[in-house]
Amino acid sequence: RLTEKFVLLLVFSAFITLCFGAIFFLPDSSKLLSGVLFHSSPALPPAADRKPGPGARAEDAEEGRIWHREEGAPADPVLTLQDNLARIRENHERALREAKETLQKLPEEIQRDILLDKEKVAQDQDQQRDREQFGGLPNVDFQPPIGVENREPADATVSEKRAKIKEMMKHAWNNYKRYAWGLNELKPISKEGHSSSLFGNIKGATIVDALDTLFIMGMKDEFQEAKSWIEKNLDFNVNAEISVFEVNIRFVGGLLSAYYLSGEEIFRKKAVELGVKLLPAFHTPSGIPWALLNMKSGIGRNWPWASGGSSILAEFGTLHLEFMHLSHLSGNPIFAEKVMNIRKVLNKLEKPEGLYPNYLNPSSGQWGQHHVSVGGLGDSFYEYLLKAWLMSDKTDLEAKKMYFDAVQAIETHLIRKSSGGLTYIAEWKGGLLEHKMGHLTCFAGGMFALGADGAPEALTQHYLELGAEIARTCHESYNRTFMKLGPEAFRFDGGVEAIATRQNEKYYILRPEVIETYMYMWRLTHDPKYRKWAWEAVEALESHCKVNGGYSGLRDVYFIHENYDDVQQSFFLAETLKYLYLIFSDDDLLPLEHWIFNTEAHLLPILRADKKKVEEK
Ligand code: DMJ
């Protein structure tokens, strides 16, 4: 078809050229042309008599062709007409020349030209498709990720252990793929999909959560499978309620991380698309977002159990890192504005004893019940203050101040030492302490150590030690169980230390926080006990959680027989296995000077201050 079109085009342009040639070259033909086409026939002076205007080029002056008009000067109709005629003549002379040249070409040459043209058409189509697909997103100068070369650790034993962890990832992934592909999570005992209401009917939580772990473990084929599932199936037009926090940390975080590691545009596009879908959650009188959102209708609400219709500190306080990156990658400041407003609301409020209560009413902008926790309901709010400062290349001094002020209040009012010498972080209820620490709270060991470097003078060592003490306490909570995996919560009262006393606190759902703290402590101190403790956890997972169909959580870690909960949580692949893998890798894999882990262990690069200045300009 292209050949036919090409020949027709050739004939047609030759015909047009001849017609125009006749008009221009026949005596007095310009009169005829101007009479027919322009309804005016001013007499033009011969070319030699014309003078070039101020903006004319030398060659134009020579040929007496184009006369540029000075900015703002009124157009001279005679000159404009003359100008147009000269351009038309020139174009047609060129077409005639090209037609002649083509007719002299060998068939092979014509063939080659056709192929080149075809290629160009295909390229244009691709570009058009990309423009449609990524419409609205600015070009981003993708920076190749730092520290993703996956070198084998020099020590053979360490290397073997690391290989074992990769095998665990394969087992978890392959079973998910086999029994629950495209669904959110896997039920490893029933060997079917598991749906959690946290994601409404968005699908593929495990796929998105696992992306960066697959990437850093070098599981390239699996990463590609995941990517193509996302391209074809990941859909956010769902008419169901989702948890804004969970969708943000797992989906937005997972997509951003995959983009920063691979540079694949699809991840950036999906992350921004999802970010936009989450924006209606902020339509509250204070701008503090709802916990739950119907992504189709844009209607939000809070958990019915939350104190007086409040939003939850750990939920609205764990959007900052991802939203700053959404603005960075979309060129749209709206995401950053939303999370900066949360901070503004918080900074205006009086804090009881300098502590942040877990509940805040989005309508009144006032605290709900005065319950303070560094575990569930509060945890990642503190984590994100510290990481906001680090991720801003240490320029976000407001976040730094908020973090260190909060930590000081936590130390004064919540951190205690048991009679057996274990440091723990209690919970605070209107001034009274509950001597209980959650598995979730164990992340704080890593947080204290990570922040140590930026602590006010003389406190660096203190915060490193505090991190180490929390790590030891959490290790004890594992060590004092039968399964050597820690319970959901453990207590320091009624004559026990670091032990769960209530039946409904004895479960372990493959959570990462203790191993996360080991990872930071290992990186920051290189004390071999952290690798030892991490390996104990690997052995326990292999002995008690591994089943034919994947990995399962346990209902009671003190019992001698496994009682499976039949869920392979997506964070097992996103966090637990990633942190374990890093503990047995060299420090130059994902160096902490370049990367921030979001609360789901997804990777976000530090936004360099010098680059930001250039962007702002
Ligand atoms: C994860 O989704 C995140 O780590 C979150 O911050 C807390 N809960 C789970 C893991 O336990």
PDB file of all heavy atoms in Angstrom, residues 156-173:
ATOM      1  N   ALA A 156      32.016 -16.956  52.091  1.00  0.00           N
ATOM      2  CA  ALA A 156      31.197 -18.025  51.490  1.00  0.00           C
ATOM      3  C   ALA A 156      29.988 -18.387  52.357  1.00  0.00           C
ATOM      4  O   ALA A 156      28.899 -18.667  51.833  1.00  0.00           O
ATOM      5  CB  ALA A 156      32.057 -19.251  51.250  1.00  0.00           C
ATOM      6  N   THR A 157      30.156 -18.371  53.669  1.00  0.00           N
ATOM      7  CA  THR A 157      29.018 -18.744  54.541  1.00  0.00           C
ATOM      8  C   THR A 157      27.899 -17.708  54.430  1.00  0.00           C
ATOM      9  O   THR A 157      26.712 -18.055  54.388  1.00  0.00           O
ATOM     10  CB  THR A 157      29.451 -18.786  56.032  1.00  0.00           C
ATOM     11  OG1 THR A 157      30.861 -18.836  56.102  1.00  0.00           O
ATOM     12  CG2 THR A 157      28.832 -19.923  56.774  1.00  0.00           C
ATOM     13  N   VAL A 158      28.317 -16.451  54.394  1.00  0.00           N
ATOM     14  CA  VAL A 158      27.321 -15.383  54.280  1.00  0.00           C
ATOM     15  C   VAL A 158      26.601 -15.526  52.939  1.00  0.00           C
ATOM     16  O   VAL A 158      25.375 -15.420  52.841  1.00  0.00           O
ATOM     17  CB  VAL A 158      28.003 -13.995  54.397  1.00  0.00           C
ATOM     18  CG1 VAL A 158      27.019 -12.871  54.145  1.00  0.00           C
ATOM     19  CG2 VAL A 158      28.656 -13.848  55.758  1.00  0.00           C
ATOM     20  N   SER A 159      27.394 -15.789  51.920  1.00  0.00           N
ATOM     21  CA  SER A 159      26.847 -15.923  50.578  1.00  0.00           C
ATOM     22  C   SER A 159      25.820 -17.071  50.507  1.00  0.00           C
ATOM     23  O   SER A 159      24.752 -16.948  49.899  1.00  0.00           O
ATOM     24  CB  SER A 159      28.017 -16.163  49.631  1.00  0.00           C
ATOM     25  OG  SER A 159      27.557 -16.363  48.361  1.00  0.00           O
ATOM     26  N   GLU A 160      26.149 -18.164  51.180  1.00  0.00           N
ATOM     27  CA  GLU A 160      25.228 -19.323  51.211  1.00  0.00           C
ATOM     28  C   GLU A 160      23.914 -18.956  51.897  1.00  0.00           C
ATOM     29  O   GLU A 160      22.832 -19.331  51.452  1.00  0.00           O
ATOM     30  CB  GLU A 160      25.874 -20.427  52.052  1.00  0.00           C
ATOM     31  CG  GLU A 160      26.266 -21.660  51.278  1.00  0.00           C
ATOM     32  CD  GLU A 160      27.086 -22.571  52.183  1.00  0.00           C
ATOM     33  OE1 GLU A 160      26.588 -22.968  53.255  1.00  0.00           O
ATOM     34  OE2 GLU A 160      28.244 -22.856  51.801  1.00  0.00           O
ATOM     35  N   LYS A 161      24.064 -18.206  52.980  1.00  0.00           N
ATOM     36  CA  LYS A 161      22.858 -17.816  53.725  1.00  0.00           C
ATOM     37  C   LYS A 161      21.985 -16.919  52.873  1.00  0.00           C
ATOM     38  O   LYS A 161      20.755 -17.029  52.849  1.00  0.00           O
ATOM     39  CB  LYS A 161      23.250 -17.123  55.037  1.00  0.00           C
ATOM     40  CG  LYS A 161      23.846 -18.124  56.012  1.00  0.00           C
ATOM     41  CD  LYS A 161      24.201 -17.521  57.332  1.00  0.00           C
ATOM     42  CE  LYS A 161      24.578 -18.662  58.288  1.00  0.00           C
ATOM     43  NZ  LYS A 161      25.283 -18.226  59.474  1.00  0.00           N
ATOM     44  N   ARG A 162      22.658 -16.032  52.160  1.00  0.00           N
ATOM     45  CA  ARG A 162      21.906 -15.121  51.307  1.00  0.00           C
ATOM     46  C   ARG A 162      21.167 -15.908  50.205  1.00  0.00           C
ATOM     47  O   ARG A 162      20.009 -15.627  49.881  1.00  0.00           O
ATOM     48  CB  ARG A 162      22.858 -14.100  50.689  1.00  0.00           C
ATOM     49  CG  ARG A 162      22.142 -12.931  50.096  1.00  0.00           C
ATOM     50  CD  ARG A 162      23.137 -11.876  49.708  1.00  0.00           C
ATOM     51  NE  ARG A 162      23.625 -12.116  48.352  1.00  0.00           N
ATOM     52  CZ  ARG A 162      23.792 -11.147  47.467  1.00  0.00           C
ATOM     53  NH1 ARG A 162      23.531  -9.902  47.794  1.00  0.00           N
ATOM     54  NH2 ARG A 162      24.245 -11.423  46.261  1.00  0.00           N
ATOM     55  N   ALA A 163      21.858 -16.897  49.683  1.00  0.00           N
ATOM     56  CA  ALA A 163      21.230 -17.716  48.633  1.00  0.00           C
ATOM     57  C   ALA A 163      19.986 -18.424  49.185  1.00  0.00           C
ATOM     58  O   ALA A 163      18.972 -18.586  48.503  1.00  0.00           O
ATOM     59  CB  ALA A 163      22.238 -18.715  48.090  1.00  0.00           C
ATOM     60  N   LYS A 164      20.085 -18.815  50.439  1.00  0.00           N
ATOM     61  CA  LYS A 164      18.952 -19.499  51.082  1.00  0.00           C
ATOM     62  C   LYS A 164      17.736 -18.554  51.145  1.00  0.00           C
ATOM     63  O   LYS A 164      16.597 -18.946  50.907  1.00  0.00           O
ATOM     64  CB  LYS A 164      19.384 -19.924  52.498  1.00  0.00           C
ATOM     65  CG  LYS A 164      18.298 -20.478  53.345  1.00  0.00           C
ATOM     66  CD  LYS A 164      17.936 -21.877  52.886  1.00  0.00           C
ATOM     67  CE  LYS A 164      16.585 -22.267  53.412  1.00  0.00           C
ATOM     68  NZ  LYS A 164      16.042 -23.449  52.756  1.00  0.00           N
ATOM     69  N   ILE A 165      18.023 -17.277  51.443  1.00  0.00           N
ATOM     70  CA  ILE A 165      16.921 -16.311  51.564  1.00  0.00           C
ATOM     71  C   ILE A 165      16.286 -16.080  50.187  1.00  0.00           C
ATOM     72  O   ILE A 165      15.067 -15.953  50.057  1.00  0.00           O
ATOM     73  CB  ILE A 165      17.423 -15.006  52.224  1.00  0.00           C
ATOM     74  CG1 ILE A 165      17.837 -15.323  53.661  1.00  0.00           C
ATOM     75  CG2 ILE A 165      16.355 -13.926  52.209  1.00  0.00           C
ATOM     76  CD1 ILE A 165      18.833 -14.374  54.251  1.00  0.00           C
ATOM     77  N   LYS A 166      17.124 -16.084  49.170  1.00  0.00           N
ATOM     78  CA  LYS A 166      16.575 -15.938  47.812  1.00  0.00           C
ATOM     79  C   LYS A 166      15.674 -17.132  47.470  1.00  0.00           C
ATOM     80  O   LYS A 166      14.621 -16.983  46.851  1.00  0.00           O
ATOM     81  CB  LYS A 166      17.722 -15.816  46.814  1.00  0.00           C
ATOM     82  CG  LYS A 166      17.273 -15.554  45.389  1.00  0.00           C
ATOM     83  CD  LYS A 166      18.428 -15.145  44.517  1.00  0.00           C
ATOM     84  CE  LYS A 166      18.009 -15.101  43.060  1.00  0.00           C
ATOM     85  NZ  LYS A 166      19.118 -14.707  42.187  1.00  0.00           N
ATOM     86  N   GLU A 167      16.105 -18.296  47.931  1.00  0.00           N
ATOM     87  CA  GLU A 167      15.266 -19.502  47.716  1.00  0.00           C
ATOM     88  C   GLU A 167      13.902 -19.345  48.396  1.00  0.00           C
ATOM     89  O   GLU A 167      12.874 -19.769  47.879  1.00  0.00           O
ATOM     90  CB  GLU A 167      15.956 -20.700  48.372  1.00  0.00           C
ATOM     91  CG  GLU A 167      16.399 -21.768  47.422  1.00  0.00           C
ATOM     92  CD  GLU A 167      17.175 -22.816  48.214  1.00  0.00           C
ATOM     93  OE1 GLU A 167      16.609 -23.409  49.165  1.00  0.00           O
ATOM     94  OE2 GLU A 167      18.363 -23.005  47.883  1.00  0.00           O
ATOM     95  N   MET A 168      13.943 -18.754  49.593  1.00  0.00           N
ATOM     96  CA  MET A 168      12.677 -18.530  50.322  1.00  0.00           C
ATOM     97  C   MET A 168      11.756 -17.625  49.493  1.00  0.00           C
ATOM     98  O   MET A 168      10.550 -17.838  49.399  1.00  0.00           O
ATOM     99  CB  MET A 168      12.936 -17.888  51.696  1.00  0.00           C
ATOM    100  CG  MET A 168      13.671 -18.793  52.655  1.00  0.00           C
ATOM    101  SD  MET A 168      14.271 -17.887  54.107  1.00  0.00           S
ATOM    102  CE  MET A 168      12.771 -17.732  55.064  1.00  0.00           C
ATOM    103  N   MET A 169      12.367 -16.600  48.903  1.00  0.00           N
ATOM    104  CA  MET A 169      11.591 -15.672  48.083  1.00  0.00           C
ATOM    105  C   MET A 169      10.977 -16.429  46.895  1.00  0.00           C
ATOM    106  O   MET A 169       9.814 -16.230  46.540  1.00  0.00           O
ATOM    107  CB  MET A 169      12.506 -14.533  47.598  1.00  0.00           C
ATOM    108  CG  MET A 169      11.818 -13.517  46.712  1.00  0.00           C
ATOM    109  SD  MET A 169      10.612 -12.516  47.634  1.00  0.00           S
ATOM    110  CE  MET A 169       9.968 -11.481  46.326  1.00  0.00           C
ATOM    111  N   LYS A 170      11.786 -17.322  46.322  1.00  0.00           N
ATOM    112  CA  LYS A 170      11.282 -18.086  45.165  1.00  0.00           C
ATOM    113  C   LYS A 170      10.101 -18.954  45.581  1.00  0.00           C
ATOM    114  O   LYS A 170       9.110 -19.059  44.858  1.00  0.00           O
ATOM    115  CB  LYS A 170      12.397 -18.967  44.587  1.00  0.00           C
ATOM    116  CG  LYS A 170      13.367 -18.172  43.755  1.00  0.00           C
ATOM    117  CD  LYS A 170      14.263 -19.072  42.935  1.00  0.00           C
ATOM    118  CE  LYS A 170      15.115 -18.219  42.008  1.00  0.00           C
ATOM    119  NZ  LYS A 170      16.405 -18.821  41.695  1.00  0.00           N
ATOM    120  N   HIS A 171      10.226 -19.563  46.751  1.00  0.00           N
ATOM    121  CA  HIS A 171       9.155 -20.438  47.228  1.00  0.00           C
ATOM    122  C   HIS A 171       7.868 -19.627  47.442  1.00  0.00           C
ATOM    123  O   HIS A 171       6.779 -20.043  47.032  1.00  0.00           O
ATOM    124  CB  HIS A 171       9.604 -21.125  48.528  1.00  0.00           C
ATOM    125  CG  HIS A 171       8.631 -22.110  49.066  1.00  0.00           C
ATOM    126  ND1 HIS A 171       8.352 -23.308  48.431  1.00  0.00           N
ATOM    127  CD2 HIS A 171       7.837 -22.076  50.176  1.00  0.00           C
ATOM    128  CE1 HIS A 171       7.438 -23.966  49.131  1.00  0.00           C
ATOM    129  NE2 HIS A 171       7.102 -23.233  50.199  1.00  0.00           N
ATOM    130  N   ALA A 172       8.040 -18.464  48.067  1.00  0.00           N
ATOM    131  CA  ALA A 172       6.860 -17.615  48.335  1.00  0.00           C
ATOM    132  C   ALA A 172       6.241 -17.138  47.018  1.00  0.00           C
ATOM    133  O   ALA A 172       5.022 -17.194  46.818  1.00  0.00           O
ATOM    134  CB  ALA A 172       7.271 -16.425  49.193  1.00  0.00           C
ATOM    135  N   TRP A 173       7.085 -16.694  46.105  1.00  0.00           N
ATOM    136  CA  TRP A 173       6.606 -16.124  44.835  1.00  0.00           C
ATOM    137  C   TRP A 173       5.972 -17.210  43.948  1.00  0.00           C
ATOM    138  O   TRP A 173       4.876 -17.040  43.413  1.00  0.00           O
ATOM    139  CB  TRP A 173       7.776 -15.449  44.111  1.00  0.00           C
ATOM    140  CG  TRP A 173       7.397 -14.905  42.761  1.00  0.00           C
ATOM    141  CD1 TRP A 173       7.630 -15.500  41.549  1.00  0.00           C
ATOM    142  CD2 TRP A 173       6.695 -13.686  42.474  1.00  0.00           C
ATOM    143  NE1 TRP A 173       7.135 -14.709  40.533  1.00  0.00           N
ATOM    144  CE2 TRP A 173       6.553 -13.592  41.076  1.00  0.00           C
ATOM    145  CE3 TRP A 173       6.172 -12.658  43.271  1.00  0.00           C
ATOM    146  CZ2 TRP A 173       5.909 -12.520  40.451  1.00  0.00           C
ATOM    147  CZ3 TRP A 173       5.539 -11.589  42.639  1.00  0.00           C
ATOM    148  CH2 TRP A 173       5.410 -11.531  41.248  1.00  0.00           C
TER     149      TRP A 173
END
